[in-house]
Amino acid sequence: SKRARIVLNQDIAEGDTTFYDALKGTIIMTGDVVVTQEQGEIFADYLKVFTNLGVAELQGNVRTKQN
């Protein structure tokens, strides 16, 4: 099945579902979330991006893998 993908500056986030709320300035991604960064990957169940602040929050079974 196809996974959702968003690009945030240098980071790429992928997950099973994505919801964008323009009024709140948030992107919510759920389901086997993987955030790929220059220094490695972060895995979680849930990602919330505050687009106006440039900040993200990861929850649920969060783990990292360094390059």
Side-chain angles (χ1 to χ4, degrees), residues 10 21 32 34 39 59 67:
Q10 304 286 336
D21 187 330
D32 294 322
V34 179
Q39 62 270 30
Q59 296 179 2
N67 285 341

Side-chain angles (χ1 to χ4, degrees), residues 19-34:
F19 176 74
Y20 174 59
D21 187 330
L23 294 176
K24 292 182 181 178
T26 58
I27 299 170
I28 295 174
M29 183 173 278
T30 61
D32 294 322
V33 175
V34 179

Side-chain angles (χ1 to χ4, degrees), residues 8 11 13 27 35 37 42 46-51 53-59:
L8 307 162
D11 302 340
I27 299 170
V35 179
Q37 301 176 315
I42 305 171
Y46 174 92
L47 167 69
K48 184 174 187 177
V49 179
F50 300 89
T51 57
L53 302 175
V55 175
E57 172 185 292
L58 292 151
Q59 296 179 2

